[in-house]
């Protein structure tokens, strides 16, 4: 049957670029799922054991590099929240 295998994450100290790239990819997955920043930070802390400070730092850099995308994204998820209320 299915075995739960541990896949090693890159080490922040040994391979910082790989680690940051992994966090970026996980944040992008959270965005696909429609999560806001706090939901993403919490999900990565619980499911990937990534420290919230790391997630927030990578999030902030993504926000700086992709301002237009995030403005549209935040508008989209806020409109979705209004429709559900």
């Amino acid at each position: 049957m299915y075995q739960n295998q541990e896949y090693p994450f890159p080490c922040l100290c040994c391979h910082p670029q790989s680690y940051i790239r992994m966090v970026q990819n996980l944040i992008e997955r959270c965005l696909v799922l429609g999560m806001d920043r706090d939901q993403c930070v919490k999900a990565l802390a619980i499911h990937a054991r990534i420290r919230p400070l790391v997630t927030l730092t990578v999030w902030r850099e993504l926000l700086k590099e992709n301002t237009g995308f995030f403005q549209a994204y935040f508008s989209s998820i806020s409109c979705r929240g209004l429709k559900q209320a």
Side-chain angles (χ1 to χ4, degrees), residues 1 11-12 14 16 33 38-41 46 49-50 61 70 72:
M1 189 142 183
C11 173
L12 179 58
C14 302
L33 295 172
D38 294 337
Q39 292 169 325
C40 179
V41 169
I46 292 169
R49 294 187 179 123
I50 296 173
E61 289 303 312
F70 276 97

Side-chain angles (χ1 to χ4, degrees), residues 29-78:
R29 288 184 185 189
C30 290
L31 295 174
V32 168
L33 295 172
M35 294 183 183
D36 63 22
R37 187 192 70 186
D38 294 337
Q39 292 169 325
C40 179
V41 169
K42 186 175 179 181
L44 295 187
I46 292 169
H47 299 290
R49 294 187 179 123
I50 296 173
R51 293 182 182 154
L53 182 59
V54 174
T55 303
L56 288 170
T57 302
V58 175
W59 181 285
R60 190 172 22 257
E61 289 303 312
L62 288 172
L63 187 63
K64 273 195 249 181
E65 293 175 10
N66 303 288
T67 306
F69 166 80
F70 276 97
Q71 287 174 344
Y73 179 77
F74 294 139
S75 176
S76 172
I77 63 172
S78 68

